[in-house]
Amino acid sequence: GKINRFCQRKSKVSRSMEKLYRIIPGTSIRVSPLCLGTWQFGGTEEKQDVTWGYVEEKTCHAIVDKAIELGINFFDSAEAYSNHHAEEVLGRALGSRRQDVVIATKFGAFGKNGPVPYTDVDIEKALEESLRALQTDYIDLYQVHWPVNIKSSEDAVRALERAKGQGKIRHYAVSNFGPKNMQDLVAAGGKPVTNQLPYNLLCRAIEYDIVAECEKHDVGVLAYSPLQQGLLTGRYSQASQVPEGRRRTRHFKADSTPFSRHGQAGLETET
């Protein structure tokens, strides 16, 4: 049954890679030290993703195949990646291998007027849509994408605990939560196991106080953008070479791209 599927599964990788696997804090879930993010799977020919453009689905499938071949068993997606489209692509790419991997995804959307604050009912609806898109009946790690994506901590905890009790998710977590956000969720009875945060050599803000708050509540950290969307790969020698959609961050001048919304001087010289 469903409970049996939640048991640890031996991954089809070499013993050397298995030794690198680690347990997500507060769970029995074993994951590879690298997780494949699927934001780049979100674009379509008709509506390209602002940051990543359009990647053909056959290429997305090849990326997933290669990741599994190399021993990666951890995949992350989100509702916000083109309204579940990235989840759909990931679900098709995994196919019958779903039982061999760990899937993390996130709920939360942004409308024309900004972030949409989800009630417990909204969270349940988003979860059902993610399950459909991913072609699965459970999600290993279900995350709040941004603090602004929940109407209240109480609503979020109620919905997430209910989903966990129903076996639709194994554990729940958060993403982009600062110290106060974390405190509010915990005060409402929340028990998130991880906080997904931006962290790399160019982006170290979480070292000041967020990591300490996570440690206080035994919450693990999942670091996203470890290569700062390609800036740390050595591929680009000047700002103009970076794809326009990836020049939206504060690492670049506000006028570097019309997609930028931070309105600040940027840090191109330092970067």
Side-chain angles (χ1 to χ4, degrees):
K2 187 177 295 184
I3 294 179
N4 289 333
R5 292 201 300 274
F6 286 175
C7 295
Q8 280 189 4
R9 305 179 186 90
K10 184 175 179 58
S11 186
K12 298 177 181 178
V13 297
S14 66
R15 287 182 179 275
S16 59
M17 176 56 78
E18 283 189 337
K19 290 179 181 178
L20 297 177
Y21 279 21
R22 56 199 63 181
I23 303 291
I24 293 178
T27 79
S28 61
I29 302 175
R30 295 181 69 241
V31 296
S32 51
L34 294 178
C35 174
L36 179 67
T38 60
W39 186 2
Q40 69 272 28
F41 293 5
T44 65
E45 287 187 272
E46 296 76 22
K47 186 178 181 180
Q48 296 195 12
D49 181 80
V50 173
T51 302
W52 298 102
Y54 167 58
V55 180
E56 290 186 356
E57 182 157 339
K58 65 179 182 180
T59 301
C60 296
H61 286 218
I63 291 171
V64 171
D65 290 343
K66 190 64 177 179
I68 293 175
E69 177 188 331
L70 294 174
I72 293 174
N73 76 332
F74 194 14
F75 297 84
D76 179 72
S77 195
E79 170 191 358
Y81 300 164
S82 298
N83 192 27
H84 297 285
H85 180 70
E87 292 177 325
E88 292 176 338
V89 173
L90 176 60
R92 288 192 289 267
L94 289 172
S96 62
R97 297 173 295 185
R98 192 276 173 261
Q99 304 299 316
D100 300 322
V101 303
V102 173
I103 295 178
T105 195
K106 304 176 283 290
F107 72 81
F110 287 80
K112 293 181 179 179
N113 298 318
V116 180
Y118 281 28
T119 64
D120 55 341
V121 174
D122 295 325
I123 294 171
E124 290 172 354
K125 289 180 179 178
L127 173 57
E128 291 299 328
E129 191 60 22
S130 288
L131 290 170
R132 178 204 62 78
L134 289 162
Q135 300 180 33
T136 184
D137 58 1
Y138 72 95
I139 289 169
D140 298 285
L141 191 64
Y142 197 47
Q143 307 155 99
V144 185
H145 205 153
W146 292 88
V148 291
N149 286 133
I150 55 176
K151 186 172 184 180
S152 71
S153 293
E154 290 75 15
D155 262 4
V157 171
R158 183 164 49 248
L160 293 169
E161 286 288 350
R162 185 183 304 128
K164 185 177 178 181
Q166 294 170 335
K168 294 181 179 180
I169 64 174
R170 294 179 69 181
H171 295 278
Y172 60 88
V174 296
S175 178
N176 301 301
F177 268 48
K180 183 61 166 61
N181 307 129
M182 185 68 69
Q183 292 163 11
D184 289 346
L185 194 73
V186 172
K191 300 174 182 177
V193 296
T194 57
N195 187 4
Q196 188 173 159
L197 298 160
Y199 188 56
N200 56 63
L201 290 174
L202 290 175
C203 183
R204 301 174 59 182
I206 69 172
E207 294 177 358
Y208 289 101
D209 53 8
I210 300 178
V211 171
E213 191 66 31
C214 289
E215 291 177 339
K216 178 180 177 180
H217 301 291
D218 297 319
V219 174
V221 171
L222 298 181
Y224 72 77
S225 291
L227 295 177
Q228 190 51 53
Q229 298 183 338
L231 291 182
L232 294 171
T233 63
R235 183 174 183 177
Y236 310 113
S237 59
Q238 52 190 2
S240 61
Q241 295 176 340
V242 180
E244 191 172 17
R246 278 177 256 170
R247 296 205 303 270
R248 295 186 295 156
T249 70
R250 291 180 176 83
H251 291 286
F252 301 92
K253 298 176 182 177
D255 60 1
S256 178
T257 168
F259 298 126
S260 175
R261 292 184 293 182
H262 61 74
Q264 299 177 12
L267 296 167
E268 286 188 11
T269 301
E270 294 84 347
T271 300

